[in-house]
């Protein structure tokens, strides 16, 4: 498990949160290292000024992140890699959304609490695949937000960086140095990359719309970008479920 990973995960989060910010289009208002004025007021139990927010120390920031985000997603109990992905998702979009997304992906009751059943399902999962599915679901949520046109590119870069770092922590095969995979493994990885290519699915959607138009169907109102995202979500979810099933079967055979 990942009890020792908090400081490393926090460093990753702070790379993306930066220092003081007060973007006029950010509904959260002013932030310092990602901590909003409202969050700091709740933490200290009193109103605080912008000057106090600016003066927020890293030590207090760490305490807030651990108590309100890391502990909220049971970071110490999650496998390495998944802890970072869940933590950053929680910081960006709230612990409840992060937990509920994970629970949906591992097919347990979505109650917003990482209990024994959720832990068992997570432990039985293929963690790299779960990380990929979680990051894909996170992007899907972000792309639906009205502020995505303003902050979207930054969010996409952030999720991509967190996914890469999380996979490295999880020991994903995709992080192995070149030349260390055998031909069979390389073939499987290439197939997976093709299935998860947005360009390929965008072309599939485009050709599908053309074919439907030729058959007399109205396709002008279809959002091809959104449809492509949905297909990628289905591929990621299907890949995760399949890998988990095969892993459980293999484990039972070994037993």
């Amino acid at each position: 498990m990942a009890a020792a990973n908090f400081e490393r995960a926090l460093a990753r989060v702070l790379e993306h949160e930066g220092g003081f910010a007060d973007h006029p289009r950010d509904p959260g208002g002013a932030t310092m290292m990602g901590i909003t004025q409202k969050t700091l007021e709740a933490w200290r139990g009193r109103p605080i000024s912008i000057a106090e927010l600016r003066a927020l120390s890293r030590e207090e920031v760490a305490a807030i992140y651990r108590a309100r985000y890391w502990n909220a997603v049971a970071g110490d109990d999650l496998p390495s890699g998944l802890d970072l992905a869940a933590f950053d998702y929680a910081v960006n979009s709230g612990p409840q959304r992060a937990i509920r997304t994970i629970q949906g992906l591992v097919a347990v009751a979505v109650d917003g609490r990482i209990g024994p059943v959720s832990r068992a399902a997570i432990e039985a999962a293929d963690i790299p695949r779960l990380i990929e599915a979680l990051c894909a679901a996170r992007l899907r949520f972000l792309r639906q937000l009205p502020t995505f046109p303003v902050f979207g590119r930054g969010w996409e870069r952030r999720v991509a960086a967190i996914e890469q770092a999380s996979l490295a922590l999880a020991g994903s095969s995709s992080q192995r140095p070149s030349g260390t995979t055998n031909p069979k493994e390389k073939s499987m990885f290439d197939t997976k990359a093709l299935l998860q290519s947005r360009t390929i699915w965008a072309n599939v959607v485009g050709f599908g719309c053309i074919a439907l138009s030729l058959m007399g169907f109205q396709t002008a109102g279809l959002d091809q970008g959104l449809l492509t995202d949905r297909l990628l979500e289905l591929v990621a979810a299907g890949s995760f479920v399949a890998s988990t099933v095969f892993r459980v079967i293999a484990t039972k055979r070994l037993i």
Side-chain angles (χ1 to χ4, degrees), residues 76-161:
D76 286 347
D77 297 326
L78 295 178
S80 290
L82 183 62
D83 54 357
L84 171 59
F87 177 49
D88 193 71
Y89 192 172
V91 169
N92 206 197
S93 301
Q96 279 292 300
R97 184 170 298 280
I99 293 170
R100 288 174 178 273
T101 302
I102 292 171
Q103 289 177 320
L105 291 170
V106 297
V108 298
V110 179
D111 60 7
R113 187 178 69 87
I114 300 292
V117 175
S118 294
R119 287 190 179 93
I122 290 168
E123 289 172 9
D126 181 320
I127 298 305
R129 294 288 180 88
L130 180 54
I131 289 168
E132 290 168 350
L134 179 63
C135 290
R138 179 181 175 184
L139 275 177
R140 176 183 172 182
F141 166 71
L142 291 172
R143 286 171 178 152
Q144 295 174 341
L145 296 179
T147 50
F148 186 80
V150 180
F151 302 108
R153 288 188 179 181
W155 287 340
E156 288 178 334
R157 287 194 296 269
R158 175 173 181 161
V159 174

Side-chain angles (χ1 to χ4, degrees), residues 6-247:
F6 171 70
E7 282 298 332
R8 180 163 47 183
L10 178 62
R12 287 282 183 181
V13 168
L14 293 181
E15 285 177 10
H16 297 284
E17 292 294 349
F20 180 80
D22 191 8
H23 196 289
R25 298 288 296 277
D26 188 344
T31 63
M32 180 62 181
M33 289 181 273
I35 301 299
T36 66
Q37 186 174 5
K38 183 178 179 180
T39 297
L40 186 56
E41 287 178 340
W43 176 256
R44 293 184 179 177
R46 62 175 177 82
I48 60 115
S49 65
I50 292 295
E52 288 178 292
L53 181 64
R54 281 181 176 273
L56 185 60
S57 68
R58 191 188 185 284
E59 290 72 23
E60 189 171 12
V61 165
I64 295 171
Y65 275 129
R66 177 179 278 281
R68 291 184 173 260
Y69 300 96
W70 179 266
N71 291 347
V73 297
D76 286 347
D77 297 326
L78 295 178
S80 290
L82 183 62
D83 54 357
L84 171 59
F87 177 49
D88 193 71
Y89 192 172
V91 169
N92 206 197
S93 301
Q96 279 292 300
R97 184 170 298 280
I99 293 170
R100 288 174 178 273
T101 302
I102 292 171
Q103 289 177 320
L105 291 170
V106 297
V108 298
V110 179
D111 60 7
R113 187 178 69 87
I114 300 292
V117 175
S118 294
R119 287 190 179 93
I122 290 168
E123 289 172 9
D126 181 320
I127 298 305
R129 294 288 180 88
L130 180 54
I131 289 168
E132 290 168 350
L134 179 63
C135 290
R138 179 181 175 184
L139 275 177
R140 176 183 172 182
F141 166 71
L142 291 172
R143 286 171 178 152
Q144 295 174 341
L145 296 179
T147 50
F148 186 80
V150 180
F151 302 108
R153 288 188 179 181
W155 287 340
E156 288 178 334
R157 287 194 296 269
R158 175 173 181 161
V159 174
I162 290 296
E163 180 176 0
Q164 183 179 16
S166 298
L167 289 171
L169 284 171
S172 169
S173 61
S174 64
Q175 299 297 320
R176 294 176 185 170
S178 59
T180 63
T181 56
N182 62 42
K184 182 178 179 181
E185 288 175 322
K186 188 175 188 301
S187 175
M188 291 174 63
F189 180 76
D190 288 344
T191 301
K192 177 183 166 186
L194 287 172
L195 287 173
Q196 294 183 345
S197 168
R198 194 177 195 282
T199 300
I200 289 175
W201 284 109
N203 287 333
V204 169
V205 170
F207 286 129
C209 288
I210 292 172
L212 288 172
S213 296
L214 292 174
M215 289 187 288
F217 291 94
Q218 294 294 326
T219 61
L222 286 177
D223 186 335
Q224 294 188 27
L226 183 60
L227 185 55
T228 300
D229 289 338
R230 294 293 186 273
L231 285 171
L232 284 168
E233 289 290 335
L234 287 172
V235 169
S239 176
F240 164 70
V241 170
S243 65
T244 300
V245 169
F246 286 127
R247 184 173 178 178

